[in-house]
């Protein structure tokens, strides 16, 4: 039995020796790539070793530096935070070194207040003169402009899904304001067309997004974005939709404050016909705040002026004034988004009493939460509530008896649950479920629907 145990011990040692040798060899290869400034290659090696549970005191630091130099700032931040936890607080040199890397990473992410706070902590530790000069340069740099002069983001998405009650309202919430009243065509002096029987359909959606940001001197910048989406229904092609939007916004940043002047154009094609164009200009102010427990809170206050121009008839042309506020709260990988907005829509033309679908007030509450777990895996929840009050439109409580019930009131609820996973760099897949209820005292627009979808996104 002793010999057997000894033999087993030797067999075990020889079985794990190739694994140890392979891991050591991989680490040395990563260091070699790192020393040659081949950041992307070293990042892939150190990332793989970290995922495989490799235990080395310097692995996280190499991983963080490689991630930073290759532009993967979020991974760099996570790695440096692990280094900070592992660092002996009595070792001032090591503490200052990792704090400098953390500060630079927050700066690259645009989290200027966090970066300045960390740099101040290093200065409080009385670092060498060359470190002080470096920190002064970074602090001056953060006050003047972001670290990246320009940033380009391109992504494409392909989604297939199944939607119930297609003819009630579009599945894409961006177009709810444009398409929600299409069934409300006047046929007599008292009654609207009754909503058709429920139709269900598979759909295929393709979309592409292009975003770019330029950062100039003295805190000035410019951001622009273009998004296009084409959604085709297999069983109900009359609901096919094409949506296009482009926006540009001059920006100004002063410390933790940021201001923008967004200008947007939107165009919708529905059922193979051009439906309308929309134009808007707004003003937006943001404030970045840091607390003891939450790393980043962004408060946005915004207002927009918009106008809708319909293609075939100008009777529904309108002007809209929107205002509200939002907040994005970040803690580690957890992100909570809250938004409240109010829209006042007014017709640009005279409307017939009791048939006015244009004049209304819309109050919106949007809540979204996401969190990452395991590796490159994300779980998200979202809830959207929209309360719509029509100023001069009589609700139809009973279609057959043509009984009216005061002004029309719609309460739109949308609940979303999503699960996404990044399989390789830039390529991710997601599963989503969306349940929608429109609670209305106007019978033709009282409905519920479900949407199931699977999508693939690639970010260049």
């Amino acid at each position: 039995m002793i010999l057997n145990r000894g033999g087993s011990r030797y067999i075990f040692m020889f079985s794990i020796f190739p694994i140890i040798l392979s891991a050591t060899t991989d680490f040395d290869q990563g260091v070699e790539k790192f020393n040659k400034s081949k950041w992307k290659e070293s990042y892939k090696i150190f990332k793989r070793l970290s995922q495989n549970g490799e235990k080395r005191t310097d692995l996280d630091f190499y991983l963080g530096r490689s991630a930073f130099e290759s532009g993967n700032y979020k991974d760099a931040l996570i790695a440096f935070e692990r280094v900070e936890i592992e660092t002996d607080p009595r070792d001032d040199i090591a503490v200052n070194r990792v704090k400098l890397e953390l500060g630079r990473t927050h700066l690259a992410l645009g989290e200027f207040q966090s970066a300045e706070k960390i740099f101040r902590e290093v200065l409080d530790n009385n670092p060498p003169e060359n470190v002080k000069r470096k920190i002064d340069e970074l602090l001056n740099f953060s006050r003047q402009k972001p670290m990246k002069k320009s940033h380009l983001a391109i992504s494409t998405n392909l989604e297939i899904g199944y939607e119930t009650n297609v003819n009630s309202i579009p599945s894409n919430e961006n177009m709810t304001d444009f398409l929600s009243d299409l069934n409300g065509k006047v046929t007599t002096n008292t009654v609207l067309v009754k909503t058709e029987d429920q139709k269900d359909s598979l759909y295929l959606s393709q979309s592409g997004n292009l975003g770019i940001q330029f950062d100039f001197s003295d805190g000035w910048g410019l951001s622009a974005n273009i998004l296009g989406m084409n959604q085709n229904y297999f069983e109900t092609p009359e609901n096919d939709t094409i949506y296009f939007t482009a926006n540009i916004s001059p920006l100004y940043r002063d410390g933790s404050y940021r201001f923008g002047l967004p200008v947007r154009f939107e165009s919708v094609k529905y059922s193979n016909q051009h439906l309308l164009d929309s134009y808007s200009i707004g003003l937006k102010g943001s404030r970045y705040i840091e607390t003891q427990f939450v790393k980043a809170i962004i408060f946005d206050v915004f207002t927009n002026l918009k106008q809708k121009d319909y293609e075939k008839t100008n009777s529904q042309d309108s002007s809209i004034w929107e205002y509200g506020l939002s907040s994005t709260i970040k803690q580690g990988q957890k992100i909570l988004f809250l938004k409240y907005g109010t829209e006042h829509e007014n017709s640009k033309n005279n409307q017939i009493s009791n048939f006015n679908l244009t004049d209304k007030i819309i109050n919106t509450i949007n809540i979204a939460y996401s969190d990452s777990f395991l590796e490159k895996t994300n779980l998200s929840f979202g809830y959207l509530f929209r309360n719509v009050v029509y100023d001069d439109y009589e609700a139809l409580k009973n279609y057959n008896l043509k009984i009216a019930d005061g002004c029309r009131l719609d309460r739109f609820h949308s609940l979303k649950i999503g699960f996404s996973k990044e399989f390789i760099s830039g390529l991710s897949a997601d599963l989503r479920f969306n349940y929608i209820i429109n609670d209305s005292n106007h019978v033709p627009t009282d409905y519920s629907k479900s949407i199931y979808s699977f999508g693939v996104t690639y970010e260049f």
Side-chain angles (χ1 to χ4, degrees):
M1 293 299 292
I2 295 176
L3 290 176
N4 287 340
R5 285 199 298 270
S8 300
R9 186 182 303 114
Y10 285 119
I11 292 173
F12 173 74
M13 291 179 63
F14 280 111
S15 67
I16 67 171
F17 180 76
I19 299 176
I20 297 174
L21 180 63
S22 174
T24 304
T25 302
D26 285 345
F27 184 83
D28 292 339
Q29 289 177 353
V31 173
E32 181 182 357
K33 300 292 185 184
F34 180 90
N35 292 332
K36 293 180 179 179
S37 299
K38 295 182 178 180
W39 312 116
K40 291 185 178 180
E41 296 179 32
S42 64
Y43 167 69
K44 290 180 180 179
I45 294 173
F46 294 132
K47 183 70 172 178
R48 184 174 66 252
L49 290 174
S50 178
Q51 291 174 347
N52 292 338
E54 172 67 10
K55 302 296 183 182
R56 293 184 67 106
T57 56
D58 50 355
L59 173 60
D60 283 328
F61 188 82
Y62 276 113
L63 173 59
R65 281 294 312 279
S66 299
F68 181 90
E69 298 295 344
S70 59
N72 297 285
Y73 301 121
K74 291 184 179 180
D75 284 350
L77 184 63
I78 295 172
F80 287 135
E81 286 177 343
R82 288 200 298 263
V83 175
E84 185 180 31
I85 294 173
E86 298 162 357
T87 301
D88 187 345
R90 297 168 295 182
D91 188 345
D92 291 337
I93 295 177
V95 170
N96 287 340
R97 182 178 69 166
V98 68
K99 283 186 177 293
L100 279 174
E101 298 296 345
L102 278 169
R104 288 205 310 150
T105 307
H106 279 290
L107 200 60
L109 288 167
E111 299 171 353
F112 305 106
Q113 190 168 348
S114 292
E116 291 191 13
K117 180 182 178 183
I118 292 173
F119 290 147
R120 298 294 181 192
E121 291 175 355
V122 177
L123 291 175
D124 291 341
N125 287 336
N126 194 27
E129 288 299 323
N130 62 325
V131 176
K132 290 181 180 179
R133 288 194 296 271
K134 181 64 176 178
I135 290 177
D136 287 337
E137 292 176 3
L138 291 170
L139 286 173
N140 291 331
F141 192 75
S142 69
R143 296 187 190 102
Q144 295 174 6
K145 55 188 177 182
M147 291 190 68
K148 299 177 69 178
K149 291 290 292 182
S150 63
H151 177 71
L152 177 66
I154 304 174
S155 64
T156 59
N157 174 266
L158 180 65
E159 178 180 296
I160 186 167
Y162 180 76
E163 182 177 340
T164 65
N165 209 358
V166 178
N167 46 317
S168 58
I169 200 169
S171 60
N172 190 297
E173 290 171 356
N174 290 330
M175 292 174 291
T176 301
D177 292 339
F178 301 137
L179 305 180
S180 59
D181 293 322
L182 287 181
N183 288 326
K185 300 177 182 178
V186 178
T187 55
T188 71
N189 292 331
T190 57
V191 184
L192 294 178
V193 173
K194 184 178 181 180
T195 304
E196 300 174 359
D197 293 336
Q198 176 175 320
K199 296 180 181 179
D200 306 333
S201 177
L202 288 169
Y203 69 84
L204 181 66
S205 175
Q206 315 96 40
S207 64
N209 186 78
L210 170 64
I212 188 167
Q213 179 170 323
F214 297 97
D215 295 306
F216 309 117
S217 60
D218 300 323
W220 290 96
L222 183 72
S223 68
N225 189 81
I226 297 175
L227 169 67
M229 188 208 71
N230 178 41
Q231 188 158 325
N232 302 107
Y233 291 87
F234 292 91
E235 285 82 11
T236 60
E238 65 273 14
N239 295 106
D240 289 353
T241 307
I242 297 177
Y243 174 74
F244 172 83
T245 180
N247 67 78
I248 186 170
S249 176
L251 302 170
Y252 177 72
R253 182 181 61 83
D254 182 12
S256 61
Y257 293 91
R258 180 170 175 168
F259 304 93
L261 190 69
V263 179
R264 179 184 294 270
F265 167 75
E266 297 172 283
S267 183
V268 178
K269 186 176 180 180
Y270 182 76
S271 192
N272 297 317
Q273 295 182 353
H274 183 207
L275 179 65
L276 63 81
D277 294 326
S278 173
Y279 313 86
S280 67
I281 183 171
L283 181 64
K284 183 178 181 181
S286 305
R287 172 74 190 278
Y288 175 89
I289 302 174
E290 184 177 22
T291 69
Q292 179 181 358
F293 303 103
V294 181
K295 289 186 176 179
I297 304 177
I298 300 176
F299 288 105
D300 292 327
V301 180
F302 61 88
T303 183
N304 296 293
L305 294 176
K306 179 192 295 186
Q307 72 174 29
K308 294 180 184 177
D309 292 334
Y310 285 81
E311 176 71 16
K312 288 191 173 183
T313 174
N314 61 6
S315 62
Q316 287 185 293
D317 290 353
S318 65
S319 59
I320 301 170
W321 177 38
E322 179 187 14
Y323 54 89
L325 55 88
S326 66
S327 176
T328 303
I329 304 173
K330 301 178 182 178
Q331 185 181 35
Q333 298 298 305
K334 301 177 178 63
I335 300 177
L336 176 64
F337 173 75
L338 305 169
K339 180 181 178 181
Y340 172 81
T342 297
E343 298 176 54
H344 298 264
E345 184 169 3
N346 298 294
S347 176
K348 296 165 65 176
N349 303 282
N350 294 328
Q351 297 287 323
I352 302 174
S353 180
N354 297 333
F355 296 99
N356 183 359
L357 287 165
T358 306
D359 294 323
K360 53 184 174 285
I361 298 176
I362 304 174
N363 297 301
T364 303
I365 297 174
N366 195 354
I367 303 172
Y369 174 80
S370 65
D371 189 11
S372 296
F373 59 97
L374 299 178
E375 183 61 32
K376 299 290 185 180
T377 304
N378 184 271
L379 184 64
S380 62
F381 302 90
Y383 173 70
L384 176 70
F385 172 73
R386 182 180 284 118
N387 185 63
V388 186
V389 180
Y390 291 80
D391 293 345
D392 186 18
Y393 184 79
E394 196 170 33
L396 197 62
K397 185 175 181 180
N398 188 296
Y399 181 84
N400 295 322
L401 300 178
K402 302 177 183 179
I403 297 176
D405 185 29
C407 70
R408 174 177 163 183
L409 303 173
D410 287 2
R411 292 175 176 84
F412 178 87
H413 307 264
S414 174
L415 177 65
K416 286 184 177 181
I417 301 175
F419 174 85
S420 63
K421 168 74 175 178
E422 183 176 358
F423 292 96
I424 61 176
S425 180
L427 180 63
S428 59
D430 61 86
L431 288 168
R432 297 189 184 278
F433 170 70
N434 185 196
Y435 183 65
I436 294 174
I437 299 175
N438 195 70
D439 182 16
S440 176
N441 63 347
H442 181 59
V443 172
T445 54
D446 190 74
Y447 63 86
S448 64
K449 68 186 305 178
S450 300
I451 305 167
Y452 312 85
S453 65
F454 171 76
V456 178
T457 301
Y458 185 72
E459 298 180 0
F460 296 88

